[in-house]
Amino acid sequence: MILGSQLRRLREAAGYSRADAGYHIRASESKISRLELGRVKFKGRDVEDLLTLYGVQDQTQRANFLELVDQSSQPGWWQKFNDYMPRWFDDFVGLEEAAARIQTYELQFFPGLLQTREYARAIMTHGLPEHASEAADARVRLRMRRQRLLFRPDAPKLWAVVDESVLYRPIGGREVHRAQLDQVLELTAMPHITVQVVPYERSGYAAEGSFTLLRFSEPELPNIGYVEHIAGGVYLDKPDDVELIGRSLDRLAVDAETPDRSRQMMLKARADA
């Protein structure tokens, strides 16, 4: 995505249309559009030809672009889970790894990045962890591996808003539920992780379902929304869609209890569990 954005800026500065660029590398206008959005793989030869068309002659600058091509073709760690992961989720894991800020709203469960192994297993097995399949076990391992990003030196900021019902839904049974609350309480002691709770009386007004917004430190990358449903996941990067998500997040910030008050609610739920 970064490489595509930089190539788009070079094309626009040089005064070429997407059709012009496509003709130069023997491709269609739609392929140039997909390249600039980072939705198809790059070939080094095509990037070199485009750089020449756009007037980029500096060898150091050209080398930097070709290094980005190499980086973009490297498989991510998550691709070893491809046999067990829905194809539409592959992109999300890569985007999540690159995000500087992750904002998420959940109605049923604690977010995957905050889940214990046992809580995740209960979800993946539909409440029958003793009958976990190989695929379910792999998806649990993937979820646990994703959580490592929260402990990186450059960890993204995570802001999660959950419905109050999540605090009392005994996923996996009493012990798993209590351990999950303990883990969230422990993680929210970290400065870059915030969890807020929307109380019952204000639940359901800010958004109709769960969603995530990913923000990136690179100015050329757009914010990306993600909404998962029973048969797949939808990525939203059009300005109007992202603005709508932003308004929902603003409303959630108003409707949810403060982080301190939310922590007290989780402590009470832990005592009641």
Side-chain angles (χ1 to χ4, degrees):
M1 290 176 66
I2 294 172
L3 177 56
S5 297
Q6 292 178 350
L7 288 172
R8 175 182 55 79
R9 288 207 308 271
L10 287 174
R11 175 181 59 77
E12 292 173 347
Y16 290 104
S17 67
R18 290 193 180 94
D20 295 332
Y23 180 81
H24 192 71
I25 64 168
R26 301 160 299 281
S28 65
E29 179 178 353
S30 63
K31 181 178 178 180
I32 295 297
S33 177
R34 294 195 300 274
L35 284 170
E36 292 181 350
L37 291 170
R39 292 177 177 167
V40 292
K41 292 184 178 180
F42 290 89
K43 295 180 180 178
R45 181 186 63 189
D46 288 344
V47 172
E48 287 194 277
D49 289 346
L50 289 173
L51 292 174
T52 299
L53 175 66
Y54 302 155
V56 179
Q57 301 298 330
D58 182 84
Q59 292 305 309
T60 299
Q61 189 176 3
R62 292 175 71 94
N64 289 338
F65 273 95
L66 293 175
E67 183 179 354
L68 280 176
V69 173
D70 290 339
Q71 292 176 7
S72 70
S73 65
Q74 295 299 315
W77 62 261
W78 55 92
Q79 292 184 358
K80 67 182 180 181
F81 293 95
N82 278 354
D83 289 344
Y84 307 103
M85 179 173 55
R87 183 60 188 163
W88 42 264
F89 194 64
D90 180 90
D91 287 339
F92 179 80
V93 180
L95 292 167
E96 184 182 65
E97 279 282 311
R101 185 176 180 88
I102 302 169
Q103 297 172 273
T104 188
Y105 174 53
E106 286 286 353
L107 283 165
Q108 285 189 288
F109 313 116
F110 282 105
L113 290 176
L114 302 177
Q115 292 176 7
T116 66
R117 185 178 299 275
E118 292 73 21
Y119 187 91
R121 184 184 297 275
I123 294 171
M124 297 295 185
T125 61
H126 307 288
L128 299 171
E130 65 276 13
H131 301 297
S133 64
E134 180 182 352
D137 282 338
R139 289 194 291 269
V140 172
R141 293 197 303 273
L142 170 63
R143 183 158 296 182
M144 296 302 102
R145 176 61 180 82
R146 284 170 52 208
Q147 294 177 4
R148 293 188 191 178
L149 67 86
L150 295 177
F151 300 94
R152 297 185 328 213
D154 62 340
K157 293 184 181 300
L158 173 64
W159 177 49
V161 180
V162 299
D163 189 82
E164 185 177 358
S165 62
V166 173
L167 276 56
Y168 292 94
R169 188 170 291 114
I171 299 295
R174 183 169 181 263
E175 292 305 316
V176 171
H177 179 214
R178 294 176 70 180
Q180 178 61 58
L181 286 164
D182 286 340
Q183 172 146 306
V184 175
L185 287 164
E186 180 180 348
L187 289 173
T188 51
M190 303 173 73
H192 62 290
I193 299 177
T194 301
V195 173
Q196 291 180 251
V197 177
V198 179
Y200 288 126
E201 62 268 21
R202 295 195 288 275
S203 176
Y205 297 117
E208 297 179 358
S210 303
F211 63 87
T212 297
L213 182 66
L214 303 172
R215 301 179 185 270
F216 304 90
S217 57
E218 296 83 359
E220 62 265 32
L221 295 185
N223 297 331
I224 296 179
Y226 175 74
V227 180
E228 192 169 304
H229 54 81
I230 193 169
V234 178
Y235 296 88
L236 306 170
D237 58 4
K238 294 181 179 179
D240 288 348
D241 294 334
V242 173
E243 182 181 353
L244 179 61
I245 292 173
R247 288 202 299 268
S248 293
L249 288 168
D250 290 343
R251 176 65 185 267
L252 285 168
V254 173
D255 289 351
E257 297 289 355
T258 65
D260 287 343
R261 173 59 184 152
S262 296
R263 187 175 181 82
Q264 293 303 312
M265 294 173 71
M266 287 187 280
L267 286 168
K268 181 179 184 303
R270 172 64 174 80
D272 293 343

